Amino acid sequence: MKDISVDLMQYALVGASLFILVAVGFLAIWWKGLAKRDAKKELKNKKKAEKKQQKLEAKQQAKTQKSGQQLKPTVQEEEARAEEIAREEAAVRAEEAARAEAAVRAEEVARAEAAARAEEIARAEAAVRAEEVARAEAAAKVEEVARAEAAVRAEEAARAEAAVRAEEAARAEAAVRAEEVARAEAAAKAQVVGATVAAVGVQIPRFETAHIENDRVFTIKFYKMQTSQLFENYSFRLEDSLTIGRNPGYHHWTIVDDLTVSGNHCKIYQKDGQVYILDLNSTNGTYVNDQRVRGQMKLENHDKIGIGQGSYRIRIE
């Protein structure tokens, strides 16, 4: 196997050498051909140049001979030629003057256009600046107005809050006085009437009042609305009336944990076999089915009552 591979390598080297020799021979022949062709071209160009030179020399000789044979120009011909030269120079000067004048005019027009454009740009910039200033002033005025309105609202809110507090204080004081009067009257009337109003499961201390005899005694149940469930919070027997407020020890239902409930907020009572609700001039109002109570309003089963921040669904039994 080794001898065969060595022989193959030798054959390959010999073949490559032959190929290289043949290629070199062809290249040499081609190069000689190129050299001969370039030499022929150079000889041909040289001959053409010589012929051109001979023709030019012949033309120059002919011109010199012709100029020698021409006669000298006369005075009139010289004057005519001078006049023509003067006219040509005047025409050239006029043309140059016209070109210069046109250039000056074009430059003036360009300057005027540039000045007009600069003025337009300046006006546009001035307008933009004026608009920005106007917008800034308007924004400042709006902000000032908003601040003034906010200050007025804050002052009004403070005044309203102060008025509410003063009203609540006055109502609390009036409630205390009314409670004292009611206690005295209740103590005097207890010997004759002895009527009481009590809530089911809830004892109302120091609250007694006389009531009108009705054919029916209602039970009012309040369900506080929370998410999708209803929770029963309070249940009262309604023989005559039921008062609701924030003054402690004075109402059948006292709501002390809600500052939006007035001292004397509302009253529920029955009349001619029907149940009504009456707002007692509360600050934030009493609502039935999202409608504010003005005066008295008849209640139906499952109505929604809004007292302060609380919302309740009632059941009348």
Side-chain angles (χ1 to χ4, degrees):
M1 294 295 291
K2 289 182 180 180
D3 295 336
I4 294 171
S5 61
V6 171
D7 293 338
L8 289 174
M9 288 179 66
Q10 289 177 353
Y11 292 147
L13 289 172
V14 171
S17 300
L18 292 174
F19 178 77
I20 290 169
L21 290 173
V22 172
V24 169
F26 278 115
L27 286 173
I29 294 168
W30 178 72
W31 186 259
K32 286 182 179 179
L34 287 177
K36 287 182 180 180
R37 187 180 64 183
D38 291 340
K40 287 180 180 180
K41 283 183 178 180
E42 187 176 356
L43 182 60
K44 189 176 181 179
N45 292 331
K46 189 175 181 181
K47 287 181 179 180
K48 285 182 179 180
E50 289 178 354
K51 287 181 180 180
K52 284 183 180 180
Q53 186 66 28
Q54 289 176 359
K55 287 181 180 180
L56 288 173
E57 289 177 355
K59 285 182 179 180
Q60 287 178 358
Q61 288 177 1
K63 284 181 180 180
T64 54
Q65 290 177 1
K66 189 177 181 179
S67 62
Q69 293 175 358
Q70 288 180 351
L71 299 175
K72 293 182 180 180
T74 61
V75 177
Q76 293 179 353
E77 290 178 354
E78 289 180 355
E79 290 178 356
R81 288 179 183 178
E83 188 176 355
E84 287 179 2
I85 292 170
R87 288 176 183 176
E88 290 177 357
E89 289 179 354
V92 171
R93 290 175 183 174
E95 187 177 359
E96 290 178 354
R99 289 179 182 175
E101 188 176 356
V104 170
R105 291 178 183 176
E107 187 177 0
E108 291 177 355
V109 171
R111 289 179 182 176
E113 290 179 354
R117 290 177 184 174
E119 187 176 0
E120 289 178 359
I121 293 170
R123 289 179 182 175
E125 291 179 354
V128 171
R129 291 176 184 173
E131 186 177 0
E132 291 177 355
V133 171
R135 288 180 181 175
E137 291 178 355
K141 290 179 181 178
V142 170
E143 187 176 0
E144 289 178 1
V145 171
R147 288 179 182 175
E149 290 179 354
V152 171
R153 290 176 184 173
E155 186 177 359
E156 290 178 354
R159 289 179 182 175
E161 187 175 357
V164 169
R165 291 178 182 175
E167 184 181 0
E168 290 179 354
R171 287 182 180 177
E173 186 177 356
V176 172
R177 292 177 183 176
E179 184 180 0
E180 293 176 354
V181 173
R183 286 179 183 175
E185 290 180 355
K189 293 179 181 179
Q191 299 176 358
V192 181
V193 181
T196 60
V197 178
V200 177
V202 179
Q203 184 176 0
I204 312 282
R206 301 185 302 278
F207 188 89
E208 297 178 351
T209 181
H211 65 273
I212 301 172
E213 292 294 337
N214 294 286
D215 296 335
R216 181 179 176 185
V217 177
F218 291 94
T219 299
I220 307 295
K221 295 182 179 180
F222 292 84
Y223 296 86
K224 189 172 183 180
M225 299 181 66
Q226 182 177 358
T227 63
S228 61
Q229 299 179 357
L230 298 177
F231 298 92
E232 181 178 350
N233 289 62
Y234 299 96
S235 178
F236 300 95
R237 269 186 90 211
L238 180 65
E239 295 180 358
D240 180 20
S241 63
L242 168 68
T243 60
I244 302 171
R246 198 158 53 87
N247 291 332
Y250 182 67
H251 299 288
H252 299 89
W253 183 10
T254 303
I255 303 175
V256 296
D257 57 349
D258 190 350
L259 297 178
T260 60
V261 177
S262 298
N264 301 317
H265 199 93
C266 62
K267 176 181 178 181
I268 299 175
Y269 61 93
Q270 63 165 311
K271 180 181 177 181
D272 298 331
Q274 301 292 332
V275 178
Y276 296 87
I277 187 169
L278 176 67
D279 184 75
L280 300 177
N281 295 323
S282 62
T283 302
N284 297 308
T286 305
Y287 294 84
V288 175
N289 298 326
D290 299 326
Q291 182 180 358
R292 186 161 185 169
V293 177
R294 306 289 183 182
Q296 67 178 12
M297 184 179 289
K298 183 180 177 182
L299 291 178
E300 300 290 345
N301 202 13
H302 304 299
D303 279 347
K304 184 177 73 171
I305 298 179
I307 302 172
Q309 294 181 351
S311 183
Y312 305 89
R313 185 76 68 181
I314 66 168
R315 181 176 295 172
I316 303 174
E317 298 177 353

